[in-house]
Amino acid sequence: MMTCYFYSLQLFLPLVPSDFGFYFLSFQCVDALGFCLFLKTYLEVDDFPADFCQRLFRYFQHVDHDGSSKTVVNRKSAALSEDSWECGVFLRDVSCYFSVLEEAQPREKLECHFPQLIIYTLNICNSSVVSLQEVDRIITQMMRAADYLGWDVTELRPVLKDMMTAIDVDDSGTVTLEEWLKGGMNNVPLLVLLGLKKDGHHIWRMKHFNKPTYCSVCQSMLLGLGKQGLCCTCCKYTVHSQCANKNPEPCARTFVQTKKEIGIAVHDWIRADCNSTKCEVCHKKIKTLAGRRCVWCKDMRHDECVLIGLSSCHCGPLKDHILPPWAIHAVSKEEDTSLLNVTPDGHVLQIVPMADTHPLLVFVNPKSGGKQGERVLRKFQYLLNPRQVYNLSNGGPAPGLHFFRNLRKYRILVCGGDGTVGWLLDAIDKAELQVCPPVAVLPLGTGNDMARCLRWGGGYEGSDLSEILKEIESSEVVPLDRWSIQVIPNDPKDAGDPVPYEIINNYFSIGVDASIAHRFHSMREKFPQRFNSRMKNKLWYFEFATSESISASCKKLNECLAIECCGRHLDLSHLPLEGIAVLNIPSMHGGSNLWGESKRPDGGPEVQPSEVITDVEHLKTVTQDISDKRLEVVGLEGVIEMGQIYTGLKSAGHRLAQTSRITIRTIKALPMQIDGEPWMQPPCTVSINFPL
């Protein structure tokens, strides 16, 4: 974990026999040059934008030695100079700030924030207690991190100040590690700020409300336009920040403790603002905060009608998708030795199949579609059981696939781009499941070619996810060919960049389009903040495509490679090609059908899957199918032709072949891509076959 490395580096610095180490040991303060060196080590990079270190250094100069805010004066210039020693920064401030943004378990993170573990200061060296002033210093850095995350810190500060006052339970003026952990583990806003939660409780997040909203604890309104409060992701239980520690009602259960409770469909009622909705029992309107909502079926009732109506929960219109808590039970570790589905409090969970349902296993890539992925993740955690919704940033697909391994009737929804879909399909291959579940796609990426050809659209636009779930329930299951690819360099010592995949789901290409994708990928890796929305990504693609049309880096491609389809050589000498695309699906470049539309004449001969077609006239009538065990080979003349196909000014590229096996040999380094993941490949042999 980066945070642990960060702290170990701080403890190591005082031992360095140098002026920097001595200065750090004496004052725990570093100058601009030392700060820059530290960042390079922490971020594990050799270089970053010229003004990055200077800006971040000046940011931390706004914290005085006592933790209060100040303004740095007498800076003679923007350049790093000897005067920077006079205005250094405290590395413990930097440590606390960054570690707020790191991921860890609650106890681990609070221990790392305990000042005695963060840094050995001279006044408390070899001591197990710290002063409240040191605690205040940490709170100051948390406030700065909260401000960075867009929180209303004016409301958060008094909550954390109250915690500081209460944390010294014996009024000794100092805080022990035990006191710090006890106070922190019971302070909900602090845990939310650190990105943590106590297991079995609400999954809180800070939220701004733009309409009248009431606190479920004190029942008073969160006043003011855009007022900030805490809202549970799973059940929408809402409270003031200051009310979160005042014994709020528990969140809905997500599993049952014993096998005796399996199959007993009981409502989980949560106090909610029902917005004058009619009660399901008496059919009268429910006043503000005078009713409750079932987390699973979404029924709403008056408080007094909860016990009158039916106690059995039907899970509402999404019952075919929901994995209810009475279908998940805790078992002993002896029954399941796997560590993939152990809750933080030690429960090992298993699923019991429920009749006439097809639970939906949801995987969300929160990095896809800018911030769209994060919003989709929260919405699904509310609509379904959080136990069936997985954040792919936390361990990938393996935990979810393992959790559902005993079910035979379930579906999968993957929310992300083409790369995310390929990641999941590869994980399914490796999981060796009893059944191969059907996979639906919610497109959050830039191109979303797989989602387009499966008719899920070119991008999620914020529509109601409940409607999308209903479409999944009634959707048609279609098979998809998947192809094995092997790239063997001519010189084993010149392997080049790693090949991203061993399986092709969408397409493989060499040349102009791969060159554009490679430029885009390299720039996104270097400056990720510039690629935080689908629209920005498309604009960047347009810019790289424009520069590629001018440079024509893949001109005369036919002189650099040779293609064989089922052993038959393709003659490319008569075509001025800059790109070759091998297609499995009828969508590429975010919606371009490079093969184009075609219609087989009535009574035309059926073509066997193993047969290769290269005749120009015959190719005009050949149709494309994602499950015919054949690939389509298309030639591209350049960027302009790609644009013409995308806009509909041209119907297709140059149809070269339809085949079940293809071999490509190159004699120079060329850009290549598999399903949108590009790399630069030295001379090699590429073999593509249908997996046996």
Side-chain angles (χ1 to χ4, degrees):
M1 187 175 66
M2 291 172 63
T3 306
C4 295
Y5 177 78
F6 199 169
Y7 296 142
S8 63
L9 179 62
Q10 291 192 70
L11 297 178
F12 172 78
L13 283 175
L15 304 179
V16 177
S18 64
D19 291 340
F20 172 69
F22 175 79
Y23 189 86
F24 180 83
L25 177 62
S26 302
F27 302 101
Q28 305 88 43
C29 186
V30 294
D31 68 344
L33 291 174
F35 179 78
C36 212
L37 175 63
F38 175 78
L39 278 186
K40 287 182 179 181
T41 306
Y42 173 61
L43 298 175
E44 299 179 353
V45 296
D46 295 326
D47 192 20
F48 31 67
D51 63 342
F52 173 76
C53 187
Q54 296 175 11
R55 290 176 180 271
L56 197 58
F57 179 75
R58 290 176 180 174
Y59 178 79
F60 284 105
Q61 283 180 321
H62 286 262
V63 178
D64 208 340
H65 296 180
D66 61 356
S68 60
S69 179
K70 73 168 187 177
T71 302
V72 178
V73 295
N74 297 328
R75 286 200 298 262
K76 296 181 180 180
S77 67
L80 303 180
S81 65
E82 294 296 328
D83 294 337
S84 298
W85 281 99
E86 300 177 6
C87 290
V89 299
F90 282 88
L91 217 51
R92 55 187 173 183
D93 293 331
V94 183
S95 171
C96 182
Y97 180 86
F98 276 113
S99 58
V100 167
L101 304 178
E102 294 277 359
E103 290 188 1
Q105 293 298 318
R107 186 178 182 87
E108 292 176 356
K109 208 162 187 181
L110 289 167
E111 284 178 345
C112 287
H113 281 85
F114 188 67
Q116 195 261 338
L117 294 179
I118 290 178
I119 191 170
Y120 290 105
T121 57
L122 294 178
N123 63 320
I124 61 169
C125 188
N126 299 322
S127 174
S128 61
V129 298
V130 292
S131 65
L132 288 176
Q133 185 179 12
E134 290 295 326
V135 177
D136 184 61
R137 188 179 193 85
I138 293 177
I139 297 298
T140 298
Q141 289 306 318
M142 290 180 179
M143 297 298 299
R144 294 167 69 85
D147 183 61
Y148 168 79
L149 294 172
W151 291 24
D152 182 4
V153 295
T154 58
E155 183 175 293
L156 183 62
R157 182 177 292 276
V159 177
L160 297 181
K161 285 287 186 181
D162 290 343
M163 185 201 77
M164 280 176 38
T165 303
I167 207 169
D168 182 17
V169 293
D170 57 2
D171 295 324
S172 62
T174 59
V175 177
T176 65
L177 174 59
E178 291 73 22
E179 288 176 329
W180 170 253
L181 291 176
K182 183 177 180 180
M185 290 292 288
N186 291 299
N187 188 276
V188 174
L190 175 61
L191 293 177
V192 175
L193 174 59
L194 296 177
L196 308 169
K197 82 176 191 72
K198 296 168 65 177
D199 188 66
H201 292 63
H202 296 280
I203 302 179
W204 297 111
R205 71 180 184 94
M206 281 288 181
K207 182 179 179 180
H208 290 271
F209 299 92
N210 295 321
K211 61 180 181 180
T213 305
Y214 292 85
C215 172
S216 296
V217 174
C218 68
Q219 300 191 12
S220 61
M221 184 184 294
L222 279 69
L223 300 174
L225 184 64
K227 184 63 177 177
Q228 177 180 275
L230 290 175
C231 180
C232 177
T233 300
C234 301
C235 66
K236 302 301 182 185
Y237 190 85
T238 303
V239 297
H240 289 103
S241 296
Q242 61 269 26
C243 293
N245 297 322
K246 299 178 181 178
N247 298 319
E249 296 181 10
C251 191
R253 56 189 180 151
T254 57
F255 65 96
V256 294
Q257 297 286 346
T258 65
K259 292 183 179 180
K260 294 181 180 179
E261 300 174 84
I262 295 174
I264 302 177
V266 179
H267 291 285
D268 279 306
W269 298 106
I270 295 294
R271 181 168 297 282
D273 184 358
C274 298
N275 297 322
S276 300
T277 305
K278 289 186 177 180
C279 174
E280 295 290 339
V281 176
C282 67
H283 305 293
K284 296 180 180 179
K285 287 187 177 181
I286 306 174
K287 297 181 180 179
T288 301
L289 290 180
R292 295 180 177 269
R293 181 188 66 248
C294 176
V295 172
W296 310 115
C297 65
K298 311 303 181 188
D299 281 358
M300 296 184 182
R301 301 182 187 177
H302 290 102
D303 289 342
E304 58 272 20
C305 294
V306 166
L307 298 178
I308 300 175
L310 295 175
S311 60
S312 179
C313 179
H314 53 79
C315 286
L318 300 179
K319 63 180 180 180
D320 192 45
H321 292 305
I322 291 177
L323 183 65
W326 51 86
I328 309 173
H329 68 101
V331 298
S332 65
K333 292 185 179 179
E334 289 74 19
E335 295 179 75
D336 188 343
T337 58
S338 170
L339 298 178
L340 290 176
N341 289 292
V342 180
T343 65
D345 57 356
H347 291 293
V348 182
L349 304 179
Q350 281 189 359
I351 302 176
V352 177
M354 306 297 291
D356 302 322
T357 63
H358 302 79
L360 188 68
L361 174 57
V362 181
F363 294 103
V364 182
N365 187 348
K367 297 180 182 179
S368 296
K371 294 184 178 181
Q372 243 187 350
E374 297 177 1
R375 291 194 293 269
V376 168
L377 178 66
R378 291 197 301 266
K379 289 179 180 179
F380 277 126
Q381 287 176 330
Y382 170 67
L383 291 172
L384 306 172
N385 189 332
R387 300 282 178 189
Q388 64 187 109
V389 182
Y390 285 80
N391 182 339
L392 286 173
S393 297
N394 300 331
L401 294 174
H402 179 81
F403 191 35
F404 275 61
R405 70 192 184 282
N406 294 328
L407 297 185
R408 303 192 66 86
K409 294 183 179 180
Y410 68 99
R411 305 183 183 99
I412 292 179
L413 173 64
V414 54
C415 308
D418 290 330
T420 305
V421 177
W423 183 15
L424 173 65
L425 296 179
D426 184 58
I428 292 176
D429 292 338
K430 296 176 180 177
E432 298 181 353
L433 303 174
Q434 297 181 26
V435 296
C436 187
V439 178
V441 182
L442 182 67
L444 299 180
T446 303
N448 302 312
D449 290 296
M450 177 64 78
R452 292 174 192 272
C453 75
L454 295 176
R455 301 196 297 275
W456 290 108
Y460 174 64
E461 301 295 342
S463 57
D464 188 354
L465 291 179
S466 298
E467 295 301 319
I468 293 177
L469 292 178
K470 293 177 183 178
E471 291 177 3
I472 293 175
E473 187 175 349
S474 59
S475 60
E476 176 189 0
V477 178
V478 296
L480 172 72
D481 293 339
R482 304 178 66 223
W483 298 81
S484 170
I485 181 170
Q486 188 177 22
V487 181
I488 303 175
N490 295 349
D491 183 358
K493 297 180 181 179
D494 189 18
D497 298 334
V499 179
Y501 302 122
E502 297 179 352
I503 296 290
I504 299 175
N505 299 306
N506 298 0
Y507 52 80
F508 166 79
S509 69
I510 300 177
V512 57
D513 64 312
S515 177
I516 298 170
H518 189 256
R519 293 185 187 184
F520 176 88
H521 181 78
S522 299
M523 182 65 73
R524 184 168 58 179
E525 289 291 311
K526 191 174 182 180
F527 304 107
Q529 69 280 3
R530 300 180 184 179
F531 299 81
N532 55 9
S533 73
R534 189 182 296 119
M535 180 57 67
K536 287 183 180 180
N537 293 349
K538 289 184 177 180
L539 291 175
W540 276 107
Y541 254 111
F542 177 77
E543 179 176 329
F544 293 133
T546 303
S547 62
E548 175 63 30
S549 66
I550 297 173
S551 63
S553 62
C554 300
K555 193 175 182 180
K556 298 182 179 180
L557 186 66
N558 61 305
E559 299 178 2
C560 306
L561 55 77
I563 302 178
E564 292 181 2
C565 296
C566 294
R568 185 181 301 180
H569 177 74
L570 288 185
D571 182 14
L572 306 177
S573 59
H574 63 290
L575 296 172
L577 300 181
E578 293 186 25
I580 298 292
V582 181
L583 309 175
N584 184 46
I585 63 174
S587 180
M588 190 174 176
H589 307 146
S592 292
N593 186 348
L594 301 187
W595 187 255
E597 300 294 333
S598 57
K599 184 178 181 180
R600 182 179 301 151
D602 295 337
E606 288 290 334
V607 181
Q608 297 300 317
S610 60
E611 187 177 349
V612 57
I613 305 173
T614 58
D615 180 73
V616 176
E617 293 302 318
H618 194 174
L619 287 173
K620 291 180 180 179
T621 63
V622 172
T623 58
Q624 191 176 18
D625 193 311
I626 65 175
S627 59
D628 60 359
K629 297 180 176 61
R630 285 174 287 179
L631 292 165
E632 288 72 39
V633 185
V634 180
L636 296 170
E637 293 185 7
V639 176
I640 294 178
E641 185 180 44
M642 290 168 54
Q644 290 174 335
I645 297 172
Y646 183 80
T647 57
L649 296 177
K650 191 173 182 179
S651 60
H654 295 275
R655 295 187 179 186
L656 302 178
Q658 188 179 61
T659 180
S660 59
R661 189 172 71 254
I662 183 171
T663 302
I664 304 174
R665 296 180 175 88
T666 65
I667 61 173
K668 63 174 286 188
L670 291 170
M672 302 182 181
Q673 68 169 329
I674 299 174
D675 295 352
E677 293 294 324
W679 79 100
M680 186 61 67
Q681 177 63 46
C684 68
T685 298
V686 180
S687 299
I688 304 174
N689 301 279
F690 191 77
L692 298 178

